[in-house]
Each structure stands twice: as structure tokens, then as C-alpha cells.
Amino acid sequence: AQSVTQLGSHVSVSEGALVLLRCNYSSSVPPYLFWYVQYPNQGLQLLLKYTSAATLVKGINGFEAEFKKSETSFHLTKPSAHMSDAAEYFCAVRPFSGGYNKLIFGAGTRLAVHP
Amino acid sequence: NAGVTQTPKFRILKIGQSMTLQCTQDMNHNYMYWYRQDPGMGLKLIYYSVGAGITDKGEVPNGYNVSRSTTEDFPLRLELAAPSQTSVYFCASSPGPSNPTSSYNEQFFGPGTRLTVL
């Protein structure tokens, strides 16, 4: 069965520092990959997606992620953290097969940004 | 467009009570989903629907039921609430792929319902 692993349930960075949130997936066939963000007491919002067009994907709010097939990774980065980036981030994979647009989510990484 | 709306926002139930979590989307999406979110566990799929009149089980369906009589609505029913069902519940929808082998579709999420069973 396919799975998604997010390394680090909590990440803390200083404002202005690099943000790196790690995501690895298990799949023999490159799937579609997503990063979602959840702000406190809100639903999930799509940050960016990989759908096999380009390996470096740019999303909203200055985030980007790079798909690396050899490492089965899809890490999320942002060059300079802002206080408003504090949230929980979920990596998700859509298996290549499956007709109902199934998503498998990682456990999430909570990002804290301190002054 | 309101997107995906869920009611209620919060609810406290006693063990054995029943309730229905409401979910409505106004984007004319074919696919709808119910997830539960537990701390440190990510989101687990409870049930999904690929269109009106069609529903199927996800990863964690026990203790829940769903129906899909219209494209817009996808209510989730808890018949005999148990403490293990304390969670945050999210409804989501997506358009459904026009070409299952080559297209993807983002899921749009509602704001969630926080349920506590005591």
C-alpha cells in the first residue's frame, strides 16, 4: 500500500529563515503529489501540486517543492519564513490508479515561526 | 461561491447519541469525501461518493453511514456515538477526472466540525 512519511511532526524556525518540510512517499509509479496547509481552526488549503509536468513546482505564498524520483521525495521549501506561515502542513499523494481521486495524507508537520 | 460548507462547527455528544454532520458544496463537483483528523495521524478517509446515489467505504468507515441523494449534499451519520469518534471531521469535494489516466483534481475542503463524545 502506498504511504506518505513526513519527517518531523514539529519544525521551528526564526522569521526570515529557510523553511524545509520533508515528505517522502512510497510508490513504484510516480504519483500525483500535493502539499496542503491548515491554519488554526480552518480546513485544508492547497499550497501546490505535482502532476508530472515540471519537477520544481511553485505554489502560493512563496512556497515551492521539488519532486525527486530517485529519492521518492517531495520536500516543501520557502526561502524566508514569515510569522503568517505558522500552520500545519500536510503532504498527500494520489496513487496513479484509483478512480475516485483518492488522497493519502501524511501525519502532518506543525511549523512554528518565532521572531 | 461558498465552496464547501459544514454544519455544525462544534458539537458535544453523549455516548450512544446520534447525529448528522452536514456537508454542502456549490461547485457542482461529482466527488465528495468525509475525513476525520486525529492529532498526529493526518486525515483518514471515512466514506466517499463519486456521484449522486453512489457511495463507498474509505479506510475507517465503522460507526458511520452516508448518503448522497443530490450532487450538492453529502451528510455523515453517527448512529451510536462513542468516545473513539471524538475528532475533527472534514468534508471535501473535487470535480472528478475527465480522463482517469491523465488528469488530477484538487480536493476542496470545508472548515470542519469539531466533535466531542463524552
Side-chain angles (χ1 to χ4, degrees):
Chain A
Q2 297 199 21
S3 64
V4 177
T5 302
Q6 291 184 241
L7 290 175
S9 58
H10 291 80
V11 170
S12 182
V13 300
S14 299
E15 191 173 20
L18 171 71
V19 175
L20 171 61
L21 304 182
R22 299 177 188 273
C23 173
N24 288 88
Y25 66 91
S26 68
S27 174
S28 57
V29 176
Y32 299 143
L33 293 156
F34 307 80
W35 276 99
Y36 281 84
V37 60
Q38 184 182 29
Y39 298 104
N41 299 315
Q42 294 187 25
L44 277 70
Q45 177 184 355
L46 184 69
L47 263 183
L48 49 80
K49 62 192 185 241
Y50 166 76
T51 57
S52 75
T55 56
L56 183 61
V57 181
K58 294 190 183 299
I60 62 172
N61 300 338
F63 284 93
E64 62 182 35
E66 185 173 9
F67 171 71
K68 291 187 177 180
K69 181 179 177 181
S70 60
E71 299 177 7
T72 60
S73 68
F74 190 55
H75 301 332
L76 181 70
T77 60
K78 182 174 180 177
S80 177
H82 192 271
M83 298 295 286
S84 61
D85 294 327
E88 189 152 22
Y89 293 80
F90 292 94
C91 182
V93 58
R94 180 195 171 192
F96 193 72
S97 62
Y100 63 93
N101 201 26
K102 174 181 180 178
L103 285 181
I104 300 170
F105 286 87
T109 297
R110 187 169 298 278
L111 176 67
V113 182
H114 52 85
Chain B
N1 283 353
V4 179
T5 57
Q6 292 182 238
T7 56
K9 284 186 166 48
F10 305 92
R11 184 73 185 268
I12 298 175
L13 282 182
K14 294 183 179 179
I15 295 172
Q17 286 185 321
S18 62
M19 77 164 293
T20 299
L21 282 66
Q22 301 291 346
C23 175
T24 300
Q25 53 92 10
D26 63 359
M27 297 174 282
N28 201 32
H29 287 170
N30 288 325
Y31 291 9
M32 295 188 74
Y33 316 82
W34 274 105
Y35 293 91
R36 58 177 289 170
Q37 182 184 28
D38 300 304
M41 301 291 289
L43 277 75
K44 301 294 184 186
L45 183 66
I46 305 171
Y47 270 95
Y48 68 95
S49 168
V50 300
I54 306 170
T55 63
D56 208 345
K57 297 177 181 178
E59 296 175 78
V60 290
N62 291 345
Y64 306 95
N65 278 300
V66 294
S67 60
R68 183 97 182 270
S69 56
T70 67
T71 299
E72 295 78 21
D73 300 308
F74 190 41
L76 178 72
R77 179 87 177 158
L78 283 70
E79 291 293 350
L80 290 171
S84 62
Q85 293 177 305
T86 293
S87 189
V88 181
Y89 292 84
F90 288 102
C91 179
S93 71
S94 68
S98 57
N99 182 335
T101 62
S102 66
S103 68
Y104 108 97
N105 283 278
E106 172 189 350
Q107 290 189 19
F108 295 80
F109 284 80
T113 294
R114 187 173 296 273
L115 176 67
T116 302
V117 182
L118 300 173

